[in-house]
Amino acid sequence: MVSKSYTNLLDMSGEDVFDFQQPFRSLPRFVTSSSITTNPDWETSNDDDSVGPASCSLRKIIVSNFLPLNCNKDETTGQWSFSMDDNQLLVQLKDGFPKGSEVIYVGSLKVEVDPGEQDQLSQKLFREHRCIPTFLPADLQQQFYHRFCKQQLWPLFHYMLPICLDKGELFDRSLFQAYVRANKIFGDKVMEAINSDDDCVWVHDYHLMLVPTFLRKKLHRIKVGFFLHSPFPSSEIYRTLPSKRGHIGIEYFGRTVSLKILAVGVHVDRLESMLRLPATISKVREIENKYKGKMVMLGVDDMDIFKGISLKLLGLELLLERTPKLRGKVVLVQIVNPARSNGKDVEEAINEAISVAERINIKYGSADYKPVILINYPIPSYEKIAYYAASDCCIVNAVRDGMNLIPYEYTVCRQGNEEIDKLRGVDKSSTHTSTLIVSEFVGCSPSLSGAFRVNPWSTEDVADALYKATDLTQSEKKLRHDKHYRYVSTHDVAYWARSFSQDLERACKDHYSRRCWTTGFGLNFRVIALSPGFRRLSLEHFASSYKKTNRRLIFMDYDGTLVPQSSVNKVPSTELISILTSLCNDPKNCVFIVSGRDRTTLSEWFAPCEKLGIAAEHGFFTRWNKEAEWEANSPAQDCEWKHIAEPIMDVYKETTDGSSIERKESALVWHFQDADHDFGSCQAKELVSHLERVLANEPVVVKRGHQIVEVKPQGVSKGIVVDMVIQTLVNNENAPDFLMCIGNDRSDEDMFESINEATSRYVFPTAPDVFACSVGQKASKAKYYVDGCSEVIRLLKGVTAISSRRDVTSQSQTTFRDILEVVS
């Protein structure tokens, strides 16, 4: 498992992997869209607005660890032959794409190819099968796939963490380096296939999680989707994500990254065609004759430590022990697919399954009866299909699995066809039945409402489900089967591919209306998508407007805007006090600090700035200058909610080391910036949920911010303060002709929105110059940005110099002075 201290994955990759700081070498490919020509280098680029993509064919690039190919080499002639494996999901998903789509596959071959043959085979594969192979050196393939993916990532995604030193499973940095190198090779191959920004790239599974990053470094607007076929972390994390009409989305550096739980389906037509094969029908006849008079239960699993094969067998053993009448009447046929990796754990799982099966057969079997039939060798596809069709029950007992398709395949095969019905001596109108037992920890479980769901770790639970399966009436079996078949037949592999493609198009629909910026190095590289009008606020432009205006209204956040967030000492410096005093002394200016801090602290800090307006606690309290009284911008609040919320926060404070509670007059804030990051985040999520439940009927809102959880009255925001001040000035016929607002976090976005919409909300004699400015390049409602607090100070110093040099007319002096005296 990756150590928590490795927060910068670039440090883990090491210098011997590749130099992230160098520009990427351009790969030879055909370009048909001008929008691809964005600068691929690491430095930040301010590329102009690009037009939409050039007209081109619909191209889908499917990226996976292995190509969906059957590979054979004639040892006599040395000639290679390849064919598409129609049983592979990646081949079947093409049915969900629009007609005319060009599908290209990128991935490795499952066989080693001599370096001298690789170029020739690459041309052959692309020409005949539209496949682009990635050839990894043998040692890299071993480290990347067998050691890191299978022995590190695979267990990790299945919630198994390495804890035993003697198994040699602790995190190995060199294996991660191999993972990075392999992903870069895959990314380079994908770049050879891309023809325009309008191409869609679909990356599959945990082997290639870094490929989207490598692609986006070169093509900032690339349409790339990633599908994880393995289990994802606990579903409770989704409670922290915003949703829009059923779609989960994360606002990420100005881009909306869409998340969706989308169940994979099976290729129903292909399964039905295989059912019609004479070999399949013959095998069905053979199986049904062999086990005539017995109930056949079927298990089909890959041989790995998560499929729960031994637990399934233990459940059968308990069933036979408890229910003597079923001995000789039930048979569990367990088909074991070959292991995809090797290792001590896999060997132990195989030996354990064989040992348990032999024990059951010895204990409850006889000369002509074996309760367990263990098929621990490869069998052809038609034979597996025949077992599906001939089995009365199917059990999937994995302790942790992704979208296991075995129950779907079984359901389709139990629907049968006319040939199989004729074989059984029934007419085609005969009812079809099936029974499913599914682990609750398998991805397909929620979609199979008619299945018996079990906890695979509970042998008694499994045994009970097996007994219930033997005790169902024919009508119950039919009802369960019909329910499952309706779902499986309508949510097939084409439906899955079509849905994913539509979601990707939806997520990328505004690609060409954004400007792309890049930041970060190594695996910390990010693409920032910003609106076309978002630009740096220059002193020249700002000063020019400042000079020509006479009634200026300026709002500024404090933390993160005037002092860095990372600063330990947040007390304003002498220099800052001097700058603010100079700004306020200009009679043309009305200046406000709008902060989340309490009014007592702000009053003490800014006591020297006598003409400075202050809005404290996000605008709950406001005063126009030092001599004015504090005004509450919200109706008198019943603070009984504090007696409910505070004890709850106290509990979380006591159980979260490093956390604290800030008690404001209007709000309560739980801070966890000094707590352990992971534990603090987990506690914050639980606290939000807890508070939302108990305060559901109170006039407050519960919000989670940057390392805080805050409870505050409804209808309080920085945007309301901005509206109140502007409206007051407009009503007193002193509408400002210069509006400025500068801030750095989410709470300041309300100010930006209000100041941008001021011209449409209020009547101004002349349209004011508006400057909504964000601190930092990020997605924002502001139209300008500056890089940091130091640049904010530089801008303010620049305009205070203008104020000190310029003579002010008496009329101008009267304008804002008079109105400030009135409102205070």
Side-chain angles (χ1 to χ4, degrees), residues 615-622 631-635 637 665-666 713 716-717 721:
E617 300 187 19
H618 296 295
F620 188 84
F621 296 108
T622 305
E631 301 173 10
N633 295 325
S634 181
Q637 296 288 331
E665 293 181 70
S666 67
V716 174
S717 74
V721 173

Side-chain angles (χ1 to χ4, degrees), residues 71 80 82 149 253 300 316-317 320 324 337 367 394 414 426 439 467 602 651 663 670 690 697 707 719 744 771 785 794:
C71 311
W80 286 94
F82 302 95
C149 288
F253 290 97
V300 181
L316 176 67
E317 184 179 34
L320 296 176
N337 298 324
C394 180
R414 286 293 291 176
V426 297
S439 164
Y467 179 78
L602 295 174
V651 171
R663 295 169 174 85
W670 184 74
H690 195 163
N697 297 321
Q707 297 182 327
N744 75 302
F771 294 91
Y785 76 91
R794 187 176 68 87

Side-chain angles (χ1 to χ4, degrees), residues 117-344:
E117 299 179 282
Q118 291 177 2
D119 286 344
Q120 183 179 358
L121 284 185
S122 295
Q123 296 177 22
K124 175 182 176 67
L125 285 171
F126 187 75
R127 182 176 61 252
E128 296 179 359
H129 301 290
R130 312 302 287 173
C131 290
I132 299 178
T134 57
F135 296 106
L136 302 182
D139 59 338
L140 179 59
Q141 177 70 11
Q142 176 68 21
Q143 291 180 311
F144 155 67
Y145 179 68
H146 293 288
R147 296 193 60 192
F148 190 74
C149 288
K150 284 301 179 183
Q151 295 181 18
Q152 296 282 340
L153 291 182
W154 176 254
L156 187 65
F157 275 108
H158 288 75
Y159 288 60
M160 179 174 287
L161 308 182
I163 56 176
C164 299
L165 292 174
D166 62 341
K167 290 190 175 183
E169 294 175 345
L170 294 183
F171 183 79
D172 185 340
R173 173 175 168 173
S174 67
L175 298 182
F176 179 75
Q177 293 173 349
Y179 183 80
V180 176
R181 286 199 299 270
N183 272 252
K184 184 178 184 298
I185 292 173
F186 274 86
D188 289 345
K189 286 296 180 181
V190 174
M191 287 299 298
E192 295 181 13
I194 293 176
N195 195 43
S196 79
D197 269 357
D198 205 39
D199 292 349
C200 292
V201 180
W202 188 353
V203 183
H204 287 263
D205 224 355
Y206 65 95
H207 315 87
L208 305 176
M209 291 188 292
L210 302 183
V211 169
T213 296
F214 287 121
L215 296 178
R216 203 166 289 284
K217 287 174 183 175
K218 299 180 181 181
L219 297 177
H220 305 332
R221 296 184 179 90
I222 188 172
K223 295 181 179 178
V224 59
F226 178 81
F227 193 92
L228 183 66
H229 294 260
S230 302
F232 202 71
S234 175
S235 60
E236 66 187 16
I237 69 160
Y238 292 109
R239 293 168 61 184
T240 67
L241 304 178
S243 300
K244 297 179 180 178
R245 296 185 180 179
H247 296 91
I248 301 173
I250 302 175
E251 294 300 324
Y252 187 73
F253 290 97
R255 296 181 288 119
T256 300
V257 179
S258 296
L259 301 179
K260 189 171 184 180
I261 302 172
L262 185 62
V264 181
V266 295
H267 200 296
V268 177
D269 291 343
R270 177 159 182 79
L271 287 170
E272 291 177 343
S273 66
M274 293 187 69
L275 271 175
R276 290 191 291 269
L277 294 175
T280 305
I281 295 174
S282 176
K283 191 65 181 180
V284 171
R285 181 188 297 112
E286 178 187 332
I287 295 170
E288 293 186 342
N289 289 336
K290 182 177 180 179
Y291 300 109
K292 191 172 183 179
K294 297 180 176 63
M295 179 177 184
V296 179
M297 300 176 174
L298 178 67
V300 181
D301 301 281
D302 294 341
M303 177 45 72
D304 69 48
I305 58 178
F306 301 106
K307 292 302 186 286
I309 296 176
S310 296
L311 295 173
K312 183 190 308 181
L313 298 178
L314 291 174
L316 176 67
E317 184 179 34
L318 182 60
L319 173 70
L320 296 176
E321 177 186 334
R322 288 179 169 180
T323 320
K325 68 179 182 179
L326 293 179
R327 298 171 190 173
K329 296 183 179 180
V330 295
V331 174
L332 174 59
V333 178
Q334 178 61 56
I335 299 175
V336 181
N337 298 324
R340 300 185 185 182
S341 62
N342 47 34
K344 185 177 179 181

